[in-house]
Coordinates of all heavy atoms in Angstrom, one line a residue:
M24 N 0.9 -1.2 0.0 CA 0.0 0.0 0.0 C 0.9 1.2 0.0 O 1.7 1.4 0.9 CB -0.9 0.0 1.3 CG -1.8 1.2 1.4 SD -2.8 1.2 2.9 CE -3.7 -0.3 2.8
P25 N 0.7 2.2 -0.9 CA 1.5 3.4 -0.9 C 1.3 4.2 0.3 O 0.3 4.2 0.9 CB 1.0 4.1 -2.2 CG 0.3 3.2 -3.0 CD -0.2 2.1 -2.1
A26 N 2.4 4.9 0.7 CA 2.3 5.7 1.9 C 1.2 6.7 1.9 O 0.6 6.9 3.0 CB 3.7 6.4 2.1
D27 N 0.9 7.4 0.8 CA -0.1 8.4 0.8 C -1.5 7.8 1.0 O -2.4 8.3 1.6 CB -0.1 9.3 -0.5 CG -0.2 8.5 -1.7 OD1 0.1 7.3 -1.8 OD2 -0.7 9.1 -2.7
H28 N -1.7 6.6 0.5 CA -2.9 5.8 0.6 C -3.1 5.4 2.1 O -4.2 5.5 2.6 CB -3.0 4.6 -0.3 CG -4.2 3.8 -0.2 ND1 -5.4 4.4 -0.6 CD2 -4.5 2.6 0.3 CE1 -6.4 3.5 -0.4 NE2 -5.9 2.4 0.2
A29 N -2.0 5.0 2.7 CA -2.0 4.6 4.1 C -2.4 5.8 5.0 O -3.1 5.7 5.9 CB -0.7 4.0 4.5
A30 N -1.8 7.0 4.7 CA -2.1 8.2 5.4 C -3.6 8.5 5.3 O -4.2 8.9 6.3 CB -1.2 9.3 4.9
R31 N -4.2 8.4 4.1 CA -5.6 8.7 3.9 C -6.4 7.7 4.7 O -7.4 8.1 5.2 CB -6.0 8.7 2.4 CG -5.5 10.0 1.7 CD -6.1 10.2 0.4 NE -5.9 9.0 -0.5 CZ -4.9 8.7 -1.3 NH1 -3.9 9.6 -1.3 NH2 -4.8 7.7 -2.0
A32 N -6.0 6.4 4.7 CA -6.8 5.5 5.5 C -6.7 5.7 6.9 O -7.8 5.7 7.6 CB -6.2 4.0 5.2
D33 N -5.5 6.2 7.5 CA -5.4 6.5 8.9 C -6.4 7.7 9.2 O -7.0 7.8 10.2 CB -4.0 6.9 9.3 CG -3.1 5.7 9.4 OD1 -3.7 4.6 9.6 OD2 -1.9 5.8 9.4
E34 N -6.4 8.7 8.3 CA -7.1 9.9 8.5 C -8.6 9.6 8.5 O -9.4 10.2 9.3 CB -6.8 10.9 7.4 CG -7.4 12.3 7.6 CD -7.0 13.3 6.6 OE1 -5.9 13.3 6.2 OE2 -7.8 14.2 6.3
R35 N -9.1 8.7 7.7 CA -10.5 8.3 7.7 C -10.9 7.7 9.0 O -12.0 7.6 9.3 CB -10.8 7.4 6.5 CG -10.9 8.1 5.2 CD -11.4 7.2 4.1 NE -10.7 5.9 4.0 CZ -9.8 5.8 3.1 NH1 -9.4 6.7 2.2 NH2 -9.2 4.6 3.0
S36 N -9.9 7.1 9.8 CA -10.3 6.4 11.0 C -10.6 7.4 12.1 O -11.0 7.0 13.2 CB -9.2 5.4 11.4 OG -8.0 6.1 11.8
L37 N -10.3 8.7 11.9 CA -10.7 9.7 12.9 C -12.2 10.0 12.9 O -12.8 10.1 11.9 CB -10.0 11.1 12.6 CG -8.5 11.1 12.8 CD1 -7.9 12.4 12.4 CD2 -8.1 10.8 14.3
S38 N -12.7 10.1 14.1 CA -14.2 10.4 14.2 C -14.4 11.9 13.9 O -13.4 12.6 14.0 CB -14.7 10.0 15.6 OG -14.2 10.9 16.5
D39 N -15.6 12.2 13.7 CA -15.9 13.6 13.5 C -15.5 14.4 14.8 O -15.0 15.5 14.6 CB -17.4 13.8 13.3 CG -17.8 15.2 13.1 OD1 -17.2 15.9 12.2 OD2 -18.7 15.7 13.8
R40 N -15.8 13.9 15.9 CA -15.4 14.6 17.2 C -13.9 14.7 17.3 O -13.4 15.8 17.7 CB -15.9 13.8 18.4 CG -15.6 14.5 19.7 CD -16.0 13.8 20.9 NE -15.1 12.6 21.1 CZ -15.1 11.8 22.2 NH1 -16.1 12.0 23.1 NH2 -14.3 10.8 22.2
D41 N -13.2 13.7 16.9 CA -11.7 13.8 16.9 C -11.2 14.9 16.0 O -10.3 15.7 16.4 CB -11.0 12.5 16.4 CG -11.3 11.3 17.3 OD1 -11.6 11.5 18.5 OD2 -11.1 10.1 16.9
V42 N -11.7 15.0 14.8 CA -11.4 16.1 13.9 C -11.7 17.4 14.5 O -10.9 18.4 14.4 CB -12.0 15.9 12.5 CG1 -11.8 17.1 11.6 CG2 -11.5 14.6 11.9
R43 N -12.9 17.6 15.1 CA -13.3 18.8 15.8 C -12.4 19.2 16.9 O -12.1 20.4 17.1 CB -14.8 18.7 16.2 CG -15.8 18.7 15.1 CD -17.2 18.5 15.5 NE -17.6 19.2 16.7 CZ -18.1 18.6 17.8 NH1 -18.4 17.3 17.7 NH2 -18.4 19.2 18.9
I44 N -12.0 18.2 17.7 CA -11.0 18.4 18.8 C -9.7 18.9 18.3 O -9.2 19.9 18.8 CB -10.9 17.2 19.7 CG1 -12.1 16.9 20.5 CG2 -9.6 17.3 20.6 CD1 -12.2 15.7 21.3
L45 N -9.2 18.4 17.2 CA -8.0 18.8 16.6 C -8.1 20.3 16.1 O -7.2 21.1 16.3 CB -7.5 17.9 15.5 CG -7.1 16.5 16.0 CD1 -6.8 15.6 14.8 CD2 -5.9 16.6 17.0
K46 N -9.2 20.5 15.5 CA -9.5 21.9 15.0 C -9.5 22.9 16.2 O -9.0 24.0 16.1 CB -10.8 21.9 14.2 CG -11.1 23.3 13.6 CD -12.3 23.2 12.8 CE -12.6 24.6 12.2 NZ -13.9 24.6 11.5
F47 N -10.2 22.5 17.2 CA -10.3 23.3 18.4 C -8.9 23.6 19.0 O -8.6 24.7 19.4 CB -11.2 22.6 19.4 CG -11.4 23.3 20.7 CD1 -12.3 24.4 20.8 CD2 -10.6 23.0 21.9 CE1 -12.5 25.0 22.1 CE2 -10.8 23.7 23.0 CZ -11.8 24.7 23.1
E48 N -8.1 22.5 19.1 CA -6.7 22.7 19.7 C -5.9 23.6 18.8 O -5.1 24.4 19.3 CB -6.0 21.4 19.8 CG -6.4 20.6 21.1 CD -6.1 21.4 22.3 OE1 -5.0 21.9 22.5 OE2 -7.0 21.5 23.2
R49 N -6.1 23.6 17.5 CA -5.4 24.5 16.6 C -5.8 25.9 16.9 O -5.0 26.8 16.6 CB -5.7 24.0 15.2 CG -4.7 24.5 14.2 CD -4.9 24.0 12.8 NE -5.2 22.6 12.7 CZ -6.4 22.1 12.3 NH1 -7.4 22.8 12.0 NH2 -6.6 20.7 12.3
S50 N -7.0 26.2 17.3 CA -7.4 27.6 17.4 C -8.2 27.9 18.7 O -8.9 28.9 18.7 CB -8.4 27.9 16.2 OG -9.5 27.0 16.3
W51 N -7.9 27.2 19.7 CA -8.7 27.4 21.0 C -8.5 28.8 21.5 O -9.5 29.4 22.2 CB -8.4 26.4 22.1 CG -7.1 26.5 22.7 CD1 -5.9 25.9 22.4 CD2 -6.8 27.4 23.8 NE1 -4.9 26.4 23.2 CE2 -5.4 27.3 24.1 CE3 -7.5 28.3 24.6 CZ2 -4.8 28.0 25.1 CZ3 -6.9 29.0 25.6 CH2 -5.5 28.8 25.8
W52 N -7.4 29.4 21.3 CA -7.2 30.8 21.8 C -8.1 31.8 21.3 O -8.3 32.8 21.8 CB -5.7 31.2 21.6 CG -5.4 31.0 20.1 CD1 -4.8 30.0 19.5 CD2 -5.6 32.0 19.1 NE1 -4.6 30.2 18.2 CE2 -5.1 31.4 17.9 CE3 -6.1 33.3 19.1 CZ2 -5.1 32.1 16.7 CZ3 -6.1 34.0 17.8 CH2 -5.6 33.4 16.7
R53 N -8.8 31.5 20.2 CA -9.8 32.4 19.6 C -11.1 32.4 20.4 O -11.9 33.3 20.2 CB -10.1 32.0 18.2 CG -9.0 32.1 17.2 CD -9.4 31.8 15.9 NE -8.1 31.6 15.0 CZ -8.1 31.0 13.9 NH1 -9.2 30.5 13.4 NH2 -7.0 30.9 13.2
H54 N -11.4 31.4 21.2 CA -12.6 31.3 22.0 C -12.5 32.3 23.1 O -11.5 32.4 23.8 CB -12.8 29.9 22.4 CG -13.0 28.9 21.3 ND1 -14.2 28.7 20.7 CD2 -12.1 28.2 20.7 CE1 -14.0 27.8 19.7 NE2 -12.8 27.5 19.7
A55 N -13.7 33.0 23.3 CA -13.7 33.9 24.5 C -13.8 33.2 25.8 O -14.3 32.1 25.8 CB -14.9 34.8 24.3
G56 N -13.2 33.7 26.8 CA -13.2 33.1 28.2 C -12.2 32.0 28.3 O -11.3 31.8 27.6
Q57 N -12.5 31.2 29.4 CA -11.6 30.1 29.8 C -11.7 29.0 28.8 O -12.8 28.7 28.2 CB -12.0 29.6 31.1 CG -11.9 30.6 32.3 CD -10.4 30.8 32.7 OE1 -9.6 30.1 32.3 NE2 -10.2 31.8 33.5
K58 N -10.6 28.3 28.6 CA -10.6 27.1 27.7 C -11.5 26.1 28.2 O -12.3 25.4 27.4 CB -9.2 26.5 27.6 CG -9.1 25.4 26.5 CD -7.6 25.0 26.4 CE -7.6 23.9 25.3 NZ -6.2 23.4 25.2
E59 N -11.6 25.8 29.5 CA -12.5 24.8 30.1 C -13.9 25.1 29.7 O -14.7 24.1 29.4 CB -12.3 24.7 31.6 CG -10.9 24.0 31.9 CD -9.7 24.9 31.7 OE1 -9.9 26.2 31.7 OE2 -8.6 24.4 31.6
S60 N -14.4 26.3 29.8 CA -15.8 26.6 29.5 C -16.1 26.4 28.0 O -17.1 26.0 27.6 CB -16.2 28.0 30.0 OG -15.4 29.0 29.4
A61 N -15.1 26.8 27.2 CA -15.2 26.5 25.7 C -15.3 25.1 25.4 O -16.0 24.7 24.5 CB -14.0 27.2 25.0
I62 N -14.5 24.3 26.1 CA -14.6 22.8 25.9 C -16.0 22.3 26.3 O -16.5 21.5 25.5 CB -13.5 22.1 26.8 CG1 -12.1 22.4 26.3 CG2 -13.8 20.6 26.9 CD1 -11.0 22.0 27.2
R63 N -16.5 22.7 27.4 CA -17.8 22.2 27.8 C -18.9 22.7 26.7 O -19.7 21.9 26.4 CB -18.2 22.8 29.2 CG -19.6 22.4 29.5 CD -19.9 21.9 30.9 NE -19.0 21.4 31.8 CZ -18.8 20.1 32.1 NH1 -19.6 19.2 31.5 NH2 -18.0 19.7 33.0
K64 N -18.8 23.9 26.3 CA -19.7 24.4 25.3 C -19.6 23.7 24.0 O -20.6 23.3 23.4 CB -19.5 26.0 25.1 CG -20.4 26.6 24.2 CD -20.2 28.0 24.0 CE -21.1 28.7 23.0 NZ -20.8 30.1 22.8
E65 N -18.4 23.5 23.5 CA -18.2 22.9 22.2 C -18.5 21.4 22.1 O -18.9 20.9 21.2 CB -16.7 23.2 21.7 CG -16.4 24.6 21.4 CD -16.9 25.0 20.1 OE1 -17.0 24.2 19.1 OE2 -17.3 26.2 20.0
F66 N -18.1 20.7 23.2 CA -18.1 19.2 23.2 C -19.0 18.6 24.2 O -19.2 17.4 24.1 CB -16.7 18.7 23.3 CG -15.7 19.3 22.3 CD1 -14.8 20.3 22.6 CD2 -15.7 18.8 21.0 CE1 -14.0 20.8 21.6 CE2 -14.9 19.3 20.0 CZ -14.0 20.3 20.3
G67 N -19.4 19.4 25.2 CA -20.2 18.8 26.2 C -19.4 17.8 27.1 O -20.0 16.9 27.6
L68 N -18.1 18.1 27.2 CA -17.3 17.2 28.0 C -16.7 18.0 29.2 O -16.5 19.2 29.1 CB -16.1 16.7 27.1 CG -16.4 15.8 25.9 CD1 -15.1 15.6 25.1 CD2 -17.0 14.5 26.3
S69 N -16.4 17.3 30.3 CA -15.6 17.9 31.3 C -14.2 18.1 30.8 O -13.8 17.4 29.8 CB -15.6 17.0 32.5 OG -14.8 15.8 32.3
S70 N -13.5 19.0 31.4 CA -12.1 19.2 30.9 C -11.2 18.0 31.1 O -10.4 17.7 30.2 CB -11.5 20.5 31.5 OG -11.5 20.4 32.9
A71 N -11.5 17.2 32.2 CA -10.7 16.0 32.4 C -10.9 15.0 31.3 O -10.0 14.4 30.8 CB -11.1 15.4 33.7
R72 N -12.2 14.8 30.9 CA -12.5 13.9 29.8 C -11.9 14.3 28.5 O -11.4 13.6 27.7 CB -14.0 13.6 29.7 CG -14.4 12.7 28.6 CD -13.9 11.3 28.9 NE -14.1 10.4 27.8 CZ -13.2 9.5 27.3 NH1 -12.1 9.3 27.8 NH2 -13.5 8.8 26.3
Y73 N -12.0 15.6 28.3 CA -11.5 16.2 27.0 C -10.0 15.9 26.9 O -9.5 15.5 25.9 CB -11.7 17.7 27.0 CG -11.1 18.4 25.9 CD1 -11.7 18.5 24.6 CD2 -9.8 19.0 26.0 CE1 -11.1 19.2 23.5 CE2 -9.2 19.7 24.9 CZ -9.8 19.7 23.7 OH -9.2 20.4 22.7
Y74 N -9.2 16.2 28.0 CA -7.8 15.9 28.0 C -7.5 14.5 27.9 O -6.4 14.1 27.3 CB -7.1 16.6 29.2 CG -7.1 18.1 29.0 CD1 -7.9 18.9 29.8 CD2 -6.4 18.7 27.9 CE1 -7.9 20.3 29.6 CE2 -6.4 20.1 27.7 CZ -7.1 20.9 28.5 OH -7.1 22.2 28.4
Q75 N -8.3 13.5 28.4 CA -8.1 12.1 28.1 C -8.2 11.8 26.7 O -7.4 11.1 26.1 CB -9.1 11.3 28.9 CG -8.9 11.3 30.4 CD -10.0 10.6 31.1 OE1 -11.1 10.4 30.6 NE2 -9.8 10.2 32.4
V76 N -9.3 12.3 26.0 CA -9.5 12.1 24.6 C -8.3 12.7 23.8 O -7.7 12.1 22.9 CB -10.8 12.7 24.1 CG1 -10.9 12.6 22.6 CG2 -11.9 11.9 24.8
L77 N -7.9 13.9 24.1 CA -6.8 14.6 23.4 C -5.5 13.8 23.6 O -4.7 13.6 22.7 CB -6.6 16.0 24.0 CG -5.5 16.8 23.3 CD1 -5.8 17.0 21.8 CD2 -5.4 18.2 24.0
S78 N -5.3 13.3 24.8 CA -4.0 12.5 25.0 C -4.0 11.3 24.1 O -2.9 11.0 23.6 CB -4.0 12.1 26.5 OG -2.8 11.4 26.7
A79 N -5.1 10.6 23.9 CA -5.1 9.5 23.0 C -4.9 9.9 21.6 O -4.2 9.3 20.8 CB -6.5 8.8 23.2
L80 N -5.5 11.1 21.2 CA -5.3 11.6 19.9 C -3.8 12.0 19.6 O -3.3 11.7 18.5 CB -6.1 12.8 19.7 CG -7.6 12.6 19.3 CD1 -8.4 13.9 19.3 CD2 -7.7 11.9 17.9
I81 N -3.2 12.5 20.6 CA -1.8 12.9 20.4 C -0.9 11.7 20.1 O 0.1 11.8 19.3 CB -1.2 13.6 21.7 CG1 -1.9 15.0 21.9 CG2 0.3 13.7 21.7 CD1 -1.6 15.6 23.2
D82 N -1.3 10.5 20.5 CA -0.6 9.3 20.2 C -1.1 8.5 19.1 O -0.6 7.4 18.7 CB -0.5 8.4 21.5 CG 0.2 8.9 22.6 OD1 1.2 9.7 22.4 OD2 -0.2 8.8 23.8
S83 N -2.1 9.1 18.4 CA -2.8 8.3 17.3 C -2.1 8.6 15.9 O -1.9 9.7 15.5 CB -4.2 8.9 17.2 OG -4.8 8.6 16.0
P84 N -1.8 7.5 15.2 CA -1.2 7.7 13.9 C -2.2 8.4 12.9 O -1.8 9.2 12.1 CB -1.0 6.3 13.4 CG -0.9 5.4 14.7 CD -1.7 6.1 15.7
A85 N -3.5 8.2 13.2 CA -4.5 8.9 12.3 C -4.4 10.4 12.5 O -4.5 11.1 11.6 CB -5.9 8.3 12.6
A86 N -4.3 10.8 13.8 CA -4.2 12.2 14.0 C -2.9 12.8 13.5 O -2.9 13.9 13.0 CB -4.3 12.5 15.6
L87 N -1.8 12.1 13.6 CA -0.6 12.5 13.0 C -0.7 12.7 11.6 O -0.2 13.7 11.0 CB 0.5 11.5 13.4 CG 1.9 11.9 13.0 CD1 2.4 13.2 13.6 CD2 2.9 10.8 13.3
A88 N -1.4 11.7 10.9 CA -1.5 11.9 9.4 C -2.4 13.0 9.1 O -2.2 13.7 8.1 CB -2.2 10.6 8.9
H89 N -3.4 13.3 9.9 CA -4.4 14.4 9.7 C -3.8 15.8 9.8 O -4.0 16.7 9.0 CB -5.6 14.2 10.6 CG -6.6 15.3 10.5 ND1 -7.5 15.4 9.5 CD2 -6.8 16.4 11.2 CE1 -8.3 16.4 9.6 NE2 -7.9 17.1 10.7
D90 N -3.0 16.0 10.9 CA -2.4 17.3 11.2 C -1.0 17.1 11.9 O -0.9 17.3 13.0 CB -3.3 18.1 12.0 CG -3.0 19.6 12.1 OD1 -1.8 19.9 11.8 OD2 -3.9 20.4 12.4
P91 N 0.0 16.8 11.1 CA 1.3 16.5 11.7 C 1.9 17.6 12.5 O 2.5 17.4 13.5 CB 2.2 16.1 10.5 CG 1.4 16.4 9.3 CD 0.0 16.6 9.6
M92 N 1.8 18.8 12.0 CA 2.4 20.0 12.7 C 1.7 20.1 14.1 O 2.4 20.3 15.1 CB 2.3 21.3 11.9 CG 3.3 21.2 10.7 SD 3.2 22.7 9.7 CE 3.4 24.0 10.8
L93 N 0.4 20.1 14.1 CA -0.3 20.2 15.4 C 0.1 19.1 16.4 O 0.4 19.3 17.5 CB -1.8 20.3 15.2 CG -2.6 20.3 16.5 CD1 -2.4 21.6 17.3 CD2 -4.1 20.0 16.2
I94 N 0.0 17.9 15.9 CA 0.3 16.7 16.8 C 1.7 16.8 17.3 O 2.0 16.6 18.5 CB 0.0 15.4 16.1 CG1 -1.5 15.3 15.7 CG2 0.5 14.2 16.9 CD1 -2.4 15.4 16.9
K95 N 2.7 17.1 16.4 CA 4.1 17.2 16.9 C 4.2 18.3 17.9 O 5.0 18.2 18.9 CB 5.0 17.4 15.7 CG 5.1 16.1 14.9 CD 6.0 16.3 13.8 CE 6.1 15.0 13.0 NZ 7.0 15.0 11.9
R96 N 3.5 19.4 17.8 CA 3.6 20.5 18.7 C 3.0 20.1 20.1 O 3.6 20.3 21.1 CB 2.8 21.8 18.2 CG 2.9 22.9 19.2 CD 2.3 24.2 18.6 NE 0.9 24.1 18.2 CZ -0.2 24.2 18.9 NH1 -0.1 24.4 20.2 NH2 -1.4 24.1 18.4
L97 N 1.8 19.4 20.0 CA 1.2 18.9 21.2 C 2.1 17.9 21.9 O 2.1 17.9 23.2 CB -0.2 18.4 20.9 CG -1.2 19.4 20.5 CD1 -2.5 18.7 20.0 CD2 -1.5 20.4 21.5
Q98 N 2.7 17.0 21.2 CA 3.6 16.0 21.8 C 4.8 16.7 22.4 O 5.2 16.3 23.6 CB 4.1 15.1 20.7 CG 3.1 14.1 20.2 CD 3.6 13.3 19.0 OE1 4.5 13.7 18.2 NE2 2.9 12.2 18.7
R99 N 5.3 17.7 21.8 CA 6.5 18.4 22.4 C 6.0 19.1 23.7 O 6.7 19.1 24.7 CB 7.0 19.5 21.4 CG 8.3 20.1 21.6 CD 8.9 20.9 20.5 NE 7.9 21.8 19.9 CZ 7.4 21.6 18.7 NH1 7.6 20.5 17.9 NH2 6.5 22.5 18.2
M100 N 4.9 19.7 23.7 CA 4.4 20.4 24.9 C 4.1 19.4 26.0 O 4.5 19.7 27.1 CB 3.0 21.2 24.6 CG 3.3 22.4 23.7 SD 1.7 23.1 23.1 CE 0.8 23.4 24.5
R101 N 3.6 18.2 25.7 CA 3.3 17.2 26.7 C 4.7 16.7 27.2 O 4.8 16.6 28.5 CB 2.6 16.0 26.1 CG 2.3 14.9 27.0 CD 1.6 13.7 26.4 NE 2.5 13.2 25.3 CZ 2.0 12.2 24.5 NH1 0.8 11.7 24.6 NH2 2.8 11.8 23.6
D102 N 5.6 16.5 26.4 CA 7.0 16.1 26.8 C 7.6 17.1 27.7 O 8.3 16.7 28.7 CB 7.8 15.7 25.6 CG 7.3 14.5 24.8 OD1 6.5 13.8 25.3 OD2 7.9 14.3 23.7
E103 N 7.5 18.4 27.4 CA 8.1 19.4 28.2 C 7.4 19.4 29.6 O 8.1 19.6 30.6 CB 8.0 20.8 27.5 CG 8.9 20.9 26.3 CD 8.6 22.1 25.5 OE1 7.6 22.9 25.8 OE2 9.3 22.3 24.5
R104 N 6.1 19.3 29.6 CA 5.4 19.2 30.9 C 5.8 18.1 31.8 O 6.0 18.2 33.0 CB 3.9 19.2 30.7 CG 3.3 20.6 30.4 CD 1.7 20.6 30.5 NE 1.1 19.5 29.7 CZ 0.8 19.7 28.4 NH1 1.0 20.8 27.8 NH2 0.2 18.7 27.7
L105 N 5.9 16.9 31.1 CA 6.4 15.7 31.9 C 7.8 15.9 32.4 O 8.1 15.5 33.6 CB 6.3 14.5 31.0 CG 4.9 14.0 30.7 CD1 5.0 12.9 29.6 CD2 4.2 13.5 31.9
A106 N 8.7 16.5 31.7 CA 10.0 16.7 32.1 C 10.1 17.7 33.2 O 10.8 17.4 34.2 CB 10.9 17.2 30.9
A107 N 9.3 18.7 33.2 CA 9.2 19.7 34.3 C 8.7 19.0 35.5 O 9.2 19.3 36.6 CB 8.4 20.9 33.9
R108 N 7.7 18.2 35.4 CA 7.1 17.5 36.5 C 8.1 16.6 37.1 O 8.2 16.5 38.4 CB 5.8 16.8 36.1 CG 5.1 16.2 37.3 CD 3.8 15.5 36.8 NE 2.9 16.4 36.1 CZ 2.3 16.0 35.0 NH1 2.5 14.8 34.4 NH2 1.6 16.9 34.3
S109 N 8.8 15.8 36.3 CA 9.8 14.9 36.8 C 10.9 15.7 37.5 O 11.4 15.2 38.6 CB 10.4 14.1 35.7 OG 9.4 13.2 35.1
A110 N 11.3 16.8 37.0 CA 12.4 17.6 37.6 C 11.9 18.1 39.0 O 12.8 18.1 39.9 CB 12.8 18.8 36.8
R111 N 10.7 18.4 39.2 CA 10.2 18.8 40.5 C 10.1 17.7 41.5 O 10.2 17.9 42.7 CB 8.8 19.5 40.4 CG 8.8 20.9 39.7 CD 7.5 21.5 39.9 NE 6.3 20.8 39.4 CZ 5.8 20.8 38.2 NH1 6.3 21.5 37.3 NH2 4.7 20.0 37.9
L112 N 9.8 16.5 41.0 CA 9.7 15.3 41.8 C 11.0 14.7 42.3 O 11.0 13.9 43.2 CB 8.7 14.3 41.2 CG 7.4 14.8 40.9 CD1 6.6 13.7 40.2 CD2 6.6 15.1 42.3
L113 N 12.1 14.9 41.5 CA 13.3 14.2 41.8 C 14.0 14.9 43.0 O 14.0 16.1 43.1 CB 14.3 14.4 40.6 CG 13.9 13.5 39.4 CD1 14.9 13.8 38.2 CD2 13.9 12.0 39.7
P114 N 14.5 14.1 43.9 CA 15.2 14.7 45.1 C 16.5 15.3 44.7 O 17.1 15.0 43.7 CB 15.5 13.5 45.9 CG 15.5 12.3 45.1 CD 14.5 12.7 43.9
H115 N 16.8 16.4 45.4 CA 18.0 17.2 45.1 C 19.1 16.7 46.1 O 18.8 16.4 47.3 CB 17.8 18.7 45.3 CG 16.8 19.3 44.4 ND1 17.0 19.3 43.0 CD2 15.6 19.8 44.6 CE1 16.0 19.9 42.4 NE2 15.1 20.2 43.3
D116 N 20.3 16.6 45.6 CA 21.4 16.2 46.5 C 22.2 17.3 47.0 O 23.4 17.4 47.1 CB 22.4 15.3 45.6 CG 21.8 14.0 45.2 OD1 20.9 13.5 45.9 OD2 22.2 13.4 44.2
D117 N 21.5 18.3 47.5 CA 22.1 19.5 48.1 C 22.7 19.3 49.4 O 22.4 18.7 50.3 CB 21.1 20.7 48.2 CG 20.6 21.1 46.8 OD1 21.4 21.1 45.9 OD2 19.4 21.5 46.7

């Protein structure tokens, strides 16, 4: 199967909600007010559930095929947050 055909097949496996979430992440700063209230309004999800879904999308080959720049940015941001959290949790040898 050619690579471009595989990418289109992966992209088709995204649900409508998944595509909407990716679009929202790409432009959430345009929404008035807090991001959490925009999430509830747009998707009817709690922010905790939204971030669970987004986390799965970040690791999804279909999402990567759909919007590689966004997914790579979100992966980088997640990795930076995890590194910062790990740095805070590690004991210091002072």
Side-chain angles (χ1 to χ4, degrees):
M24 178 183 301
D27 61 334
H28 183 67
R31 284 193 306 272
D33 282 343
E34 189 172 327
R35 283 193 303 266
S36 68
L37 290 175
S38 71
D39 179 55
R40 182 184 73 175
D41 293 342
V42 172
R43 288 177 37 234
I44 286 174
L45 293 175
K46 183 178 178 182
F47 180 83
E48 278 300 310
R49 201 175 312 115
S50 64
W51 74 265
W52 53 269
R53 294 181 194 164
H54 297 271
Q57 298 281 353
K58 184 175 182 182
E59 287 74 21
S60 59
I62 288 168
R63 176 137 342 252
K64 180 180 177 184
E65 292 283 327
F66 303 104
L68 298 172
S69 68
S70 58
R72 180 65 186 136
Y73 173 85
Y74 287 112
Q75 288 174 341
V76 172
L77 181 60
S78 181
L80 278 172
I81 289 172
D82 294 326
S83 163
L87 182 62
H89 177 76
D90 194 337
M92 287 179 50
L93 174 66
I94 296 302
K95 288 179 182 185
R96 180 174 57 86
L97 293 172
Q98 288 171 338
R99 193 171 46 254
M100 290 169 56
R101 178 183 61 187
D102 293 346
E103 289 168 359
R104 280 191 306 272
L105 288 173
R108 186 177 306 133
S109 293
R111 286 192 308 269
L112 296 176
L113 292 175
H115 297 295
D116 292 332
D117 294 326

